[in-house]
Amino acid sequence: MPVNEDLRRERARATFDVKQLTHMLDGGSDRTARRRQLQAIIERDPTGIFSNDDNAYLHRTDRHVRGLAKHVRMVELCRTLGIGDKYDGQVVMDPDFPVLLAALADDLPTALHWIMFVPNIVSLCDEEQQRAWLPLCRDWKMIGCYAQTELGHGSNVRALETTATFVSEDQDGTKGGSFVINSPTITSAKFWPGTLGRTANHAMVIARLIDGHGKDQGMHNFLVPLRSMKDHKLLPGVKSGDIGPKIGYNVMDNGFAQFDNVKIPRRNMAMRFAHVDERGRYSKKSVSAAASKISYITMMQVRAHICNEAGKNLAVACTIVTRYSALRRQGYASDGESELQILDYKQQQHRVFPLIAASYCFFFTGKRVMEQLKDIEDKLVSNKSISKAAVTDIHASSSALKSFTTTVAADGIEDCRKACGGHGFLQCSGLPELITTYLQSPTVEGDNQMLPQQVVKVLLKLVQTVQDDGDLSDYVSCDSYGLISSLQSNLKGVKEDCRIVSEIDVMNLDALLAALCHRSARLLVGVASQIQGSISSGKSYQEAWNDALVEMARVSRAYSQFLLLRNFMEGIDGEERSGAIGVAEVTVLQNLARLFALYWMEKELGDFLEDGYVTADHSRWVRSAVLQLLDCIRTDAVSLVDARDFSDFKLKSALGRYDGDVYPAILKAALRDPLNHSDPGPGYEQHLKRLIAGGTGTYKATVSRL
Amino acid sequence: MPVNEDLRRERARATFDVKQLTHMLDGGSDRTARRRQLQAIIERDPTGIFSNDDNAYLHRTDRHVRGLAKHVRMVELCRTLGIGDKYDGQVVMDPDFPVLLAALADDLPTALHWIMFVPNIVSLCDEEQQRAWLPLCRDWKMIGCYAQTELGHGSNVRALETTATFVSEDQDGTKGGSFVINSPTITSAKFWPGTLGRTANHAMVIARLIDGHGKDQGMHNFLVPLRSMKDHKLLPGVKSGDIGPKIGYNVMDNGFAQFDNVKIPRRNMAMRFAHVDERGRYSKKSVSAAASKISYITMMQVRAHICNEAGKNLAVACTIVTRYSALRRQGYASDGESELQILDYKQQQHRVFPLIAASYCFFFTGKRVMEQLKDIEDKLVSNKSISKAAVTDIHASSSALKSFTTTVAADGIEDCRKACGGHGFLQCSGLPELITTYLQSPTVEGDNQMLPQQVVKVLLKLVQTVQDDGDLSDYVSCDSYGLISSLQSNLKGVKEDCRIVSEIDVMNLDALLAALCHRSARLLVGVASQIQGSISSGKSYQEAWNDALVEMARVSRAYSQFLLLRNFMEGIDGEERSGAIGVAEVTVLQNLARLFALYWMEKELGDFLEDGYVTADHSRWVRSAVLQLLDCIRTDAVSLVDARDFSDFKLKSALGRYDGDVYPAILKAALRDPLNHSDPGPGYEQHLKRLIAGGTGTYKATVSRL
Ligand SMILES: Cc1cc2nc3c(=O)[nH]c(=O)nc-3n(C[C@H](O)[C@H](O)[C@H](O)COP(=O)(O)OP(=O)(O)OC[C@H]3O[C@@H](n4cnc5c(N)ncnc54)[C@H](O)[C@@H]3O)c2cc1C
Ligand SMILES: Cc1cc2nc3c(=O)[nH]c(=O)nc-3n(C[C@H](O)[C@H](O)[C@H](O)COP(=O)(O)OP(=O)(O)OC[C@H]3O[C@@H](n4cnc5c(N)ncnc54)[C@H](O)[C@@H]3O)c2cc1C
């Protein structure tokens, strides 16, 4: 196909090898090849069911139904292709599976089955339970969801109200005893679980366990059948349905469920770590340290995944806006005749390029955190000791990173949409659904506004240890280890000098990293002393904590930026060392790393000026370095987004097309709208006609006056 | 109805009289009464057509059709009620009309008829033309739109491609001559005009006039009939339809139109300011200065209106999040049993209260700008002289204010949505449609990213005049007059001292205003010297200008904050002097003004630290003052949003209900979703069943292995 002239020119001037970055992002050229192969299978599937062309015109109901059809077809394809065969038929365990999902470029109503339900069985159920349930999951006869949140409680999990009360065989004759699940109040209705509304026939329900002695043993997981596996009818005592339309993610049937004395076998409680016997006696099981931490690691892995996904979603938006900005011409050049590519406006670059930088940055951090987790897992499995510090450290990092990266991605995608001007407001630009669906990420898996408390809780321990001159050896391989030297200076009142001493230093990545480190440590000590100060002035701990929440958000953001830059720098080094990329690629990636750091410094300069770490001179240097970097990156902008190798099928965007033929694509999309299927439009005959032809709006008093 | 206990307690503790603020916001108690009366008419209309209960469940086509039905019913009601009678039957001129529209709490597909089409006839057409067309508009037989933007051009209006070519009677026999309208290329298709797609039968088309000598006379307005007024069929040569689904505003049929030799009478060109005679000779008409500036004033009024609307939309979101946060309890109190209202978390307050402050702030600025414009209009009409400085000054202010207020409102509404946690993701919270529809505001009527260039262009003239010690008398009544003294100091290198000298001063509004003024002036001089510097270093003016775009955005934002605080302070004073509000109301409003200023200073502290105007001490004071103000405002938060007096019908929110009975409302909304109309759901029989009951997903290789 002929490619738009502007885009062709942009591509021709790349200073690096696009393929190398593509392979790096995929994790090797073989994985690039496999990804493309799987994409082709989806995109060219003869049933046509995977087409996303009509998405924006369908009613929600039809979108959902089509989503189910896609799921069924995907399962069929997996069976045909042998995906999952190496994993005993468990399609969802196959590394090809997420690649296939990404290739669909659409949500599936079944998603929580593999995101939460199956992993829960694997990590929290004992072997016998797994043997009973996993084959049903594998064969897609048992389709499950994860039902934790209730109408009244999300973040405060300890306050969930659903109960699971033990009933012994004596009491009701069920062999081996049972649990009765109840939703005692309206606020205790399970509300939000994905896949619950219309799709799942089972739920992993988080409920308050009341044991045989009537004692509340806190939250546990229970496998609750919701619908008959024969005819999908609701089982007695279960009331359930979809929760209604949302700002995005509308293919998914997030659901509600109310339980009225729903009886389940005793052995439907997940029993790997706790147990209730036939007489209703509760006990915790003693398991290896490894086993007990595995489920925790799973949660961390989800966070690392979210971080990587933040980068990918942002990259989709960046691809669309960058390509479009390269071919959109608006505003006269100095000749007064030709028009400029909007990508040449500094302010458009200032909006978009730092987001390209962030999308690459998040990739390296996602990868790094995964590696760290793998390392911990390996140690656990081989029974090597892991310090508590190491485990809480990664909890802090992943909390900070989840909060920051999803905030940047959500704000960034929306800013890309705005940067497309009016056409970004169109569904056919692909950006509206991208952003509205992505907007769940700042809220789920730990609300972004609340996570900083977790981060600070952990980091304050480190501050305490440093202050007490305590033993720091446990921290050696920790992320927060990097802060120690700055913390020491700060706590001892020793002034840290900025390592940017002349204008050229502002491009020095180590100096920038030192600045981000200094700021994190300073703000962290600030929070510690704010809390101490409040308490000394007579406030309760809770009040003091509450007063410090705003500052905690600053600390968490600062800490994330420090980690992200470090991981970016080390990630580039690693790829270079492994030979995955060459000098040209290293250069362009390092410029992105510089821009990432300097952009955020520019945006939050007050944090660096406040204690005199940087001066007015530095501020000028920072601003001018940002402009210089925008110039550098301008040359490679289109190629940097091309390197993600998103297909047009994946982008679903009239503006982001690889060939740049946007205007006919926009018009074509317009004509598809059902509003255009008749002429005059569907509201004329019944309504509009009454005014235009019927005289309903005629002003009667006028006849004489005119 | 019984009101939620938490909300009742909140309301009981208000320190001010809610009614007084309501009347102030409405512009007097009589207007509050009239507003309520009109609201009741809409909300209780026996046809039920105005109900918004089903909005979120309807397909876009049905939403649009229903929108037309609402319009027709509204016109009927106006005729019955005599709305418009005092304006010769022109409903849209009646001050009751916007009140009625606001009461609908929904968009109408006809909106561009009164927002742009009729005003265009009034301001750009001559009397004879008005006499011909306005009665048709009044009777709703002619329904029009404003067609400027094309597929290829939005901001750069000078580059529009649609042509209107004069053809004389000799050439084609049409008496008096005619124009032929053409869309020569795909990018010249009119694209985006609201009401154009399916509703309008006429368009005010902006096209390049080619006169009888073949000379291009630039852009002019032409009234082009699109559809027959008899049967609404497209007229020969016109291709038009809806542009397809958007991120929001989907009731509206934004449309496209392509013209293929569409002939219109010569007198369909708007001829108040320019004229083409029967022989195709083009001339500008000499009109009074007053007349020539009136259309310009209209544009400014639109901006003032946008500013006020930014405040109102933000207030809707604040009402929802504040009420919900007062009754949502999440997280244990120190007793470990009761749970806290989320409104008590400092960070929730830090998100929401500055937005409440902004919503009040924007009200005062909207009002002030309207008064300024009225003043200019009066002077023009009475032939008093108006300096060029005065006209460009208000252009700069309104550009800066449009850009800043709509950015704050768009970001703020979305942040309110996020602050509701998961439930803010539901359409029934009311927030999704509010934000997605509001998102047009940063793009239309001057893209927010581009307006700062207008602002700086004007303000740089002032800098030049000050630098040259020029005559400043023209500036006396200008907004930018306030900057002069700071500009003088800055340009002379005289250090301005911060007027906050001890911690208590940080609550002093005058000192805060001085700080915002200082910052604006400093940044403005910075941009001036950056541009001069670039040029001296050999860059072209265009390059220098481009390099400064990022800084221009900073200047424009800084200048807006200065104007907004000044208008807020003076507005409060004015209301107090007029007796509209008492001491208690003044106190709470002043605290909002303080919070507004301090919140933005805190957010952009670097701007103040950079040149040493404020120090580390000030930073601490600012942060601690913000926390103090959050405490103050906490007491009145619910009452401050109640004072807007939005009805539940208007809020359309399960979370924002006046009675706080949110949980049953959420469940009720869920049950309405068509996905729940059958059980099992609509995708089971055809698709899901194949897996669950049919065995399509069964792993065949397993039988032997298990
Ligand atoms: C698209 C989507 C999919 C979901 N899928 C699932 C699923 O599959 N299964 C499931 O069980 N759940 C699911 N959820 C629910 C999700 O986990 C919750 O929405 C999330 O945990 C937030 O809880 P909440 O909505 O109750 O917010 P709340 O906890 O009520 O929070 C509301 C506000 O209060 C603030 N706040 C609350 N507590 C504190 C505190 N202690 N300190 C400071 N501020 C506080 C928050 O920052 C937030 O601004 C889903 C939600 C969404 C939106
Ligand atoms: C909901 C909605 C309703 C509308 N209603 C109407 C209507 O009734 N009638 C009508 O005629 N039009 C209407 N429009 C069109 C609207 O006026 C345009 O979308 C708007 O003018 C922006 O122009 P654009 O979309 O062409 O963006 P562009 O001008 O293409 O801008 C795209 C990007 O480039 C940047 N950019 C462009 N030029 C410059 C420059 N010189 N310097 C720096 N940056 C630049 C912008 O900041 C933006 O980020 C509507 C649009 C929307 C979204």
Side-chain angles (χ1 to χ4, degrees):
Chain A
M1 57 191 168
V3 167
N4 171 288
E5 193 47 46
D6 282 322
L7 284 179
R8 242 161 34 99
R9 198 165 344 97
E10 296 293 338
R11 287 171 179 139
R13 63 200 265 212
T15 66
F16 69 95
D17 180 5
V18 174
K19 266 197 317 307
Q20 285 194 27
L21 289 196
T22 303
H23 297 157
M24 179 194 84
L25 291 163
D26 277 320
S29 58
D30 49 334
R31 288 169 78 169
T32 299
R34 179 64 176 161
R35 173 177 57 73
R36 290 189 174 169
Q37 196 181 11
L38 293 171
Q39 277 174 202
I41 289 168
I42 295 293
E43 299 183 11
R44 300 186 198 143
D45 184 65
T47 67
I49 193 69
F50 296 122
S51 164
N52 288 312
D53 290 352
D54 279 333
N55 285 358
Y57 316 104
L58 294 179
H59 186 276
R60 181 179 177 220
T61 302
D62 301 321
R63 247 339 260 284
H64 168 75
V65 171
R66 197 177 168 98
L68 290 174
K70 289 185 182 189
H71 173 79
V72 177
R73 176 66 186 151
M74 186 187 61
V75 169
E76 270 179 354
L77 282 176
C78 288
R79 291 293 175 231
T80 313
L81 299 166
I83 290 173
D85 283 4
K86 287 199 207 114
Y87 304 83
D88 232 7
Q90 286 282 9
V91 166
V92 304
M93 307 280 182
D94 198 304
D96 278 345
F97 183 66
V99 182
L100 215 51
L101 286 178
L104 291 179
D106 199 7
D107 298 308
L108 295 179
T110 39
L112 272 291
H113 178 71
W114 57 82
I115 297 178
M116 296 290 276
F117 184 72
V118 173
N120 245 260
I121 294 180
V122 171
S123 59
L124 301 177
C125 293
D126 62 31
E127 284 185 24
E128 190 185 296
Q129 293 178 316
Q130 297 194 21
R131 269 200 308 277
W133 298 327
L134 288 179
L136 288 168
C137 291
R138 176 200 56 201
D139 290 345
W140 302 97
K141 294 184 180 304
M142 179 185 276
I143 299 181
C145 65
Y146 179 78
Q148 174 174 305
T149 307
E150 297 173 355
L151 202 40
H153 288 94
S155 333
N156 191 11
V157 178
R158 287 188 300 144
L160 294 174
E161 297 173 78
T162 303
T163 52
T165 309
F166 179 78
V167 177
S168 69
E169 189 172 338
D170 301 350
Q171 288 170 278
D172 79 344
T174 314
K175 190 158 160 34
S178 51
F179 287 104
V180 174
I181 313 289
N182 269 303
S183 315
T185 60
I186 184 170
T187 43
S188 70
K190 290 295 173 188
F191 199 95
W192 272 113
T195 309
L196 165 61
R198 315 268 57 200
T199 306
N201 49 25
H202 284 76
M204 188 60 84
V205 171
I206 318 305
R208 188 176 291 285
L209 162 60
I210 312 295
D211 71 11
H213 305 287
K215 189 165 169 221
D216 182 342
Q217 298 288 2
M219 299 307 155
H220 287 80
N221 293 25
F222 299 85
L223 188 94
V224 181
L226 303 168
R227 293 175 176 276
S228 151
M229 282 160 81
K230 271 213 231 83
D231 57 14
H232 213 55
K233 290 230 170 90
L234 285 172
L235 296 172
V238 180
K239 219 162 117 183
S240 174
D242 182 272
I243 62 170
K246 294 155 293 192
I247 191 170
Y249 204 42
N250 279 309
V251 178
M252 173 56 80
D253 51 321
N254 291 86
F256 69 88
Q258 288 170 301
F259 303 104
D260 181 15
N261 285 314
V262 172
K263 209 201 298 181
I264 59 169
R266 176 180 60 89
R267 285 284 291 154
N268 274 24
M269 169 177 153
M271 289 203 181
R272 186 166 175 196
F273 301 118
H275 188 260
V276 170
D277 71 13
E278 305 199 355
R279 289 159 64 192
R281 282 179 305 207
Y282 176 84
S283 58
K284 299 226 184 238
K285 283 195 199 169
S286 65
V287 284
S288 71
S292 73
K293 271 169 192 152
I294 286 290
S295 76
Y296 183 77
I297 300 246
T298 311
M299 187 176 95
M300 302 291 109
Q301 278 166 345
V302 171
R303 297 250 174 96
H305 179 68
I306 289 178
C307 187
N308 197 23
E309 284 298 310
K312 274 196 200 158
N313 279 280
L314 195 49
V316 169
C318 288
T319 304
I320 296 170
V321 70
T322 304
R323 288 182 184 164
Y324 179 62
S325 298
L327 63 86
R328 177 75 168 175
R329 291 178 170 269
Q330 196 81 202
Y332 288 118
S334 45
D335 62 10
E337 296 235 338
S338 63
E339 286 191 273
L340 297 172
Q341 294 167 281
I342 59 176
L343 196 58
D344 280 330
Y345 293 114
K346 273 283 156 335
Q347 146 225 43
Q348 188 82 349
Q349 298 172 5
H350 194 258
R351 279 171 112 165
V352 174
F353 296 172
L355 296 173
I356 297 180
S359 78
Y360 276 94
C361 178
F362 298 171
F363 161 78
F364 285 109
T365 278
K367 190 172 166 189
R368 162 76 166 255
V369 179
M370 277 297 185
E371 284 163 4
Q372 288 173 295
L373 290 168
K374 182 88 187 66
D375 189 52
I376 296 183
E377 203 175 352
D378 288 348
K379 283 193 183 135
L380 288 171
V381 170
S382 58
N383 266 318
K384 289 201 187 116
S385 79
I386 300 276
S387 69
K388 194 171 168 223
V391 177
T392 58
D393 181 75
I394 195 135
H395 175 67
S397 313
S398 65
S399 300
L401 290 166
K402 188 272 171 182
S403 177
F404 184 72
T405 58
T406 58
T407 298
V408 171
D411 293 351
I413 296 167
E414 170 56 19
D415 216 38
C416 290
R417 196 195 59 69
K418 289 199 181 88
C420 291
H423 297 340
F425 202 79
L426 287 171
Q427 288 280 358
C428 74
S429 73
L431 294 162
E433 184 161 320
L434 182 69
I435 179 60
T436 53
T437 290
Y438 190 75
L439 282 177
Q440 67 189 290
S441 299
T443 300
V444 301
E445 293 294 333
D447 181 287
N448 282 3
Q449 293 286 318
M450 295 179 59
L451 288 170
Q453 299 184 49
Q454 312 284 325
V455 179
V456 170
K457 215 171 267 170
V458 173
L459 294 183
L460 284 182
K461 291 226 177 77
L462 174 61
V463 175
Q464 194 62 52
T465 312
V466 172
Q467 191 151 31
D468 299 348
D469 262 333
D471 178 13
L472 294 165
S473 58
D474 273 358
Y475 285 94
V476 174
S477 62
C478 287
D479 279 336
S480 55
Y481 190 74
L483 294 180
I484 290 178
S485 142
S486 284
L487 284 174
Q488 283 166 334
S489 309
N490 204 298
L491 288 165
K492 290 191 185 123
V494 178
K495 189 168 172 306
E496 271 198 303
D497 287 326
C498 181
R499 287 169 55 185
I500 303 164
V501 286
S502 73
E503 184 158 4
I504 41 161
D505 298 336
V506 85
M507 292 291 193
N508 180 318
L509 281 166
D510 292 315
L512 294 173
L513 186 63
L516 294 182
C517 178
H518 168 82
R519 186 220 354 196
S520 298
R522 181 179 77 78
L523 293 179
L524 181 58
V525 172
V527 164
S529 59
Q530 182 185 346
I531 293 174
Q532 276 163 13
S534 294
I535 290 173
S536 329
S537 81
K539 294 202 172 175
S540 72
Y541 183 74
Q542 194 165 21
E543 282 173 300
W545 186 263
N546 196 4
D547 279 350
L549 290 181
V550 175
E551 287 305 294
M552 290 184 200
R554 258 173 105 203
V555 170
S556 175
R557 202 167 58 227
Y559 185 54
S560 308
Q561 290 171 20
F562 164 64
L563 295 178
L564 285 163
L565 181 62
R566 188 206 58 185
N567 298 347
F568 205 166
M569 290 163 60
E570 294 182 5
I572 298 170
D573 286 351
E575 300 291 345
E576 187 181 22
R577 258 182 285 117
S578 77
I581 54 174
V583 182
E585 294 70 38
V586 169
T587 306
V588 68
L589 288 174
Q590 282 179 338
N591 279 334
L592 289 176
R594 291 186 183 102
L595 180 62
F596 177 80
L598 288 162
Y599 173 79
W600 284 100
M601 280 186 75
E602 182 187 50
K603 208 173 165 87
E604 297 168 357
L605 256 179
D607 283 359
F608 300 87
L609 285 159
E610 204 171 11
D611 69 331
Y613 183 79
V614 310
T615 63
D617 278 341
H618 290 100
S619 310
R620 250 186 299 110
W621 299 341
V622 167
R623 292 188 210 285
S624 110
V626 167
L627 289 179
Q628 276 174 54
L629 286 165
L630 297 179
D631 272 338
C632 282
I633 290 160
R634 171 69 187 83
T635 315
D636 288 314
V638 169
S639 302
L640 280 168
V641 298
D642 280 353
R644 284 277 178 175
D645 197 29
F646 294 130
S647 66
D648 283 350
F649 184 94
K650 168 91 183 166
L651 293 173
K652 300 180 285 187
S653 168
L655 306 186
R657 300 163 61 93
Y658 186 84
D659 67 6
D661 200 20
V662 307
Y663 298 113
I666 297 174
L667 267 185
K668 205 173 133 195
L671 291 173
R672 287 183 99 103
D673 194 295
L675 266 185
N676 291 324
H677 289 176
S678 66
D679 199 275
Y684 175 72
E685 203 54 37
Q686 203 190 337
H687 306 298
L688 214 45
K689 192 176 171 180
R690 294 180 54 211
L691 293 179
I692 297 175
T696 300
T698 305
Y699 182 51
K700 297 290 163 32
T702 56
V703 189
S704 59
R705 278 195 242 163
L706 269 179
Chain B
M1 56 191 170
V3 167
N4 171 288
E5 193 43 48
D6 282 323
L7 284 180
R8 241 159 36 97
R9 198 165 346 97
E10 297 293 339
R11 286 172 179 140
R13 62 200 265 212
T15 66
F16 69 96
D17 179 6
V18 174
K19 267 198 316 306
Q20 284 195 26
L21 289 196
T22 303
H23 297 157
M24 177 193 86
L25 292 163
D26 279 319
S29 59
D30 49 333
R31 288 168 80 167
T32 299
R34 180 65 176 160
R35 172 177 57 73
R36 289 187 175 169
Q37 195 182 10
L38 293 170
Q39 278 176 201
I41 289 169
I42 295 293
E43 298 184 11
R44 298 184 199 146
D45 183 65
T47 67
I49 193 71
F50 297 122
S51 164
N52 289 311
D53 289 353
D54 279 333
N55 284 359
Y57 315 104
L58 295 178
H59 186 277
R60 176 173 183 227
T61 302
D62 301 322
R63 242 350 253 283
H64 167 75
V65 171
R66 197 177 168 96
L68 290 174
K70 289 185 182 189
H71 173 79
V72 176
R73 176 66 185 151
M74 187 187 62
V75 169
E76 269 179 355
L77 282 175
C78 288
R79 291 290 175 235
T80 313
L81 298 166
I83 291 173
D85 282 5
K86 285 200 209 113
Y87 304 83
D88 231 8
Q90 286 281 9
V91 166
V92 304
M93 307 279 182
D94 197 305
D96 277 345
F97 183 67
V99 182
L100 214 51
L101 286 179
L104 290 179
D106 199 6
D107 298 308
L108 294 180
T110 40
L112 272 291
H113 178 71
W114 56 85
I115 297 179
M116 296 289 276
F117 184 71
V118 173
N120 244 260
I121 295 179
V122 171
S123 59
L124 301 178
C125 293
D126 62 30
E127 284 185 26
E128 189 185 299
Q129 293 178 316
Q130 296 193 23
R131 268 201 307 277
W133 297 328
L134 288 180
L136 288 168
C137 290
R138 175 199 58 200
D139 291 345
W140 303 97
K141 295 185 180 304
M142 178 185 276
I143 298 182
C145 65
Y146 179 79
Q148 175 173 305
T149 306
E150 297 173 356
L151 201 40
H153 288 95
S155 332
N156 191 12
V157 179
R158 285 190 300 145
L160 294 174
E161 298 174 78
T162 303
T163 51
T165 309
F166 178 79
V167 177
S168 69
E169 190 171 340
D170 300 350
Q171 289 169 281
D172 78 344
T174 312
K175 189 157 164 32
S178 51
F179 287 104
V180 174
I181 313 290
N182 269 304
S183 314
T185 60
I186 183 169
T187 44
S188 70
K190 291 294 173 188
F191 199 94
W192 272 114
T195 308
L196 165 62
R198 316 266 58 202
T199 306
N201 49 25
H202 284 75
M204 187 62 83
V205 171
I206 318 305
R208 187 177 291 287
L209 162 61
I210 312 295
D211 71 11
H213 303 288
K215 190 168 169 216
D216 181 341
Q217 298 287 3
M219 299 307 155
H220 286 81
N221 293 24
F222 300 84
L223 188 92
V224 181
L226 304 168
R227 294 175 175 277
S228 150
M229 283 160 81
K230 271 213 230 85
D231 57 13
H232 212 55
K233 290 228 171 91
L234 284 172
L235 296 173
V238 179
K239 218 160 117 183
S240 175
D242 182 273
I243 62 168
K246 295 154 291 191
I247 191 170
Y249 204 42
N250 279 307
V251 178
M252 174 56 81
D253 50 322
N254 292 87
F256 69 88
Q258 288 170 300
F259 303 103
D260 180 14
N261 284 313
V262 172
K263 208 196 307 179
I264 59 170
R266 176 180 59 89
R267 285 285 290 155
N268 273 24
M269 169 179 153
M271 291 202 180
R272 185 164 175 200
F273 300 117
H275 187 260
V276 171
D277 70 14
E278 306 200 355
R279 289 158 66 191
R281 280 178 306 205
Y282 176 83
S283 59
K284 298 224 185 243
K285 284 196 198 166
S286 64
V287 284
S288 72
S292 74
K293 272 171 191 151
I294 285 290
S295 76
Y296 184 75
I297 300 244
T298 310
M299 187 176 95
M300 302 290 110
Q301 278 165 345
V302 171
R303 297 251 173 95
H305 179 68
I306 288 178
C307 187
N308 197 23
E309 283 297 310
K312 274 197 198 157
N313 279 280
L314 196 49
V316 169
C318 288
T319 304
I320 296 170
V321 70
T322 305
R323 288 183 184 162
Y324 178 63
S325 298
L327 63 86
R328 177 76 169 174
R329 291 178 170 271
Q330 197 81 200
Y332 289 118
S334 45
D335 63 11
E337 296 234 339
S338 63
E339 286 190 273
L340 296 171
Q341 295 167 280
I342 59 175
L343 196 58
D344 280 329
Y345 293 113
K346 273 282 156 337
Q347 147 224 42
Q348 190 81 351
Q349 298 171 4
H350 194 257
R351 276 171 114 166
V352 175
F353 296 172
L355 297 174
I356 296 181
S359 77
Y360 276 94
C361 177
F362 298 172
F363 161 79
F364 285 109
T365 279
K367 192 173 165 187
R368 162 75 167 254
V369 178
M370 277 297 186
E371 283 163 6
Q372 288 172 295
L373 290 168
K374 181 89 187 66
D375 188 52
I376 295 184
E377 203 177 351
D378 288 348
K379 283 194 184 133
L380 287 172
V381 170
S382 59
N383 267 320
K384 288 200 187 117
S385 80
I386 301 275
S387 69
K388 193 171 169 223
V391 178
T392 58
D393 181 75
I394 195 135
H395 175 66
S397 312
S398 65
S399 300
L401 290 166
K402 187 273 171 180
S403 176
F404 184 73
T405 59
T406 58
T407 298
V408 171
D411 293 351
I413 296 168
E414 170 57 18
D415 217 37
C416 290
R417 195 195 60 70
K418 289 200 180 87
C420 291
H423 297 339
F425 202 78
L426 287 171
Q427 289 280 0
C428 74
S429 72
L431 293 162
E433 185 162 320
L434 183 69
I435 179 61
T436 53
T437 289
Y438 190 75
L439 282 177
Q440 68 190 290
S441 299
T443 299
V444 302
E445 293 295 332
D447 181 286
N448 282 3
Q449 293 285 317
M450 294 179 59
L451 288 169
Q453 299 184 50
Q454 312 285 325
V455 179
V456 170
K457 214 171 270 170
V458 172
L459 294 183
L460 284 182
K461 291 228 178 75
L462 175 61
V463 174
Q464 193 62 53
T465 312
V466 172
Q467 190 152 30
D468 298 349
D469 264 333
D471 178 12
L472 294 164
S473 58
D474 272 357
Y475 285 94
V476 174
S477 61
C478 286
D479 279 336
S480 56
Y481 190 74
L483 295 180
I484 290 177
S485 141
S486 284
L487 285 175
Q488 282 166 336
S489 308
N490 203 299
L491 288 166
K492 287 188 188 127
V494 178
K495 192 170 170 302
E496 270 198 304
D497 287 325
C498 181
R499 286 169 55 185
I500 303 164
V501 287
S502 73
E503 186 158 5
I504 40 163
D505 298 336
V506 85
M507 292 291 191
N508 179 318
L509 281 166
D510 292 317
L512 294 172
L513 186 62
L516 294 182
C517 177
H518 168 82
R519 190 234 332 212
S520 298
R522 182 179 77 79
L523 294 179
L524 181 57
V525 172
V527 164
S529 60
Q530 181 184 346
I531 293 174
Q532 274 161 15
S534 294
I535 291 173
S536 331
S537 80
K539 293 200 173 176
S540 72
Y541 183 74
Q542 193 164 23
E543 283 173 299
W545 185 263
N546 195 6
D547 279 350
L549 289 182
V550 174
E551 287 305 293
M552 291 184 198
R554 259 172 104 204
V555 170
S556 176
R557 201 168 57 228
Y559 185 53
S560 307
Q561 290 172 20
F562 164 64
L563 295 179
L564 285 163
L565 181 62
R566 188 204 59 185
N567 298 346
F568 205 165
M569 290 163 59
E570 293 182 6
I572 298 170
D573 286 352
E575 300 291 345
E576 187 182 23
R577 257 181 286 118
S578 78
I581 55 174
V583 181
E585 293 69 38
V586 169
T587 305
V588 68
L589 288 174
Q590 282 180 338
N591 279 334
L592 289 175
R594 290 185 184 104
L595 180 62
F596 176 80
L598 287 163
Y599 173 80
W600 284 99
M601 277 186 78
E602 183 187 47
K603 209 172 163 90
E604 297 169 356
L605 257 178
D607 283 359
F608 300 87
L609 285 160
E610 205 170 12
D611 69 331
Y613 184 79
V614 310
T615 63
D617 277 342
H618 289 100
S619 310
R620 251 186 298 109
W621 298 341
V622 167
R623 292 187 211 285
S624 112
V626 167
L627 289 179
Q628 277 174 53
L629 286 165
L630 297 179
D631 272 338
C632 282
I633 291 160
R634 171 69 187 81
T635 315
D636 289 313
V638 169
S639 302
L640 280 168
V641 298
D642 280 354
R644 283 277 177 176
D645 198 29
F646 294 129
S647 65
D648 283 351
F649 184 94
K650 168 91 184 168
L651 292 173
K652 299 181 285 185
S653 168
L655 306 185
R657 299 163 61 92
Y658 186 85
D659 67 6
D661 200 19
V662 306
Y663 298 113
I666 295 174
L667 268 185
K668 205 173 134 197
L671 291 174
R672 287 184 99 105
D673 194 295
L675 266 186
N676 292 322
H677 288 175
S678 65
D679 199 274
Y684 175 73
E685 204 54 36
Q686 203 191 336
H687 305 298
L688 214 45
K689 193 176 172 181
R690 295 179 55 211
L691 293 179
I692 297 174
T696 301
T698 306
Y699 183 51
K700 296 291 162 33
T702 56
V703 190
S704 59
R705 279 194 243 164
L706 270 178

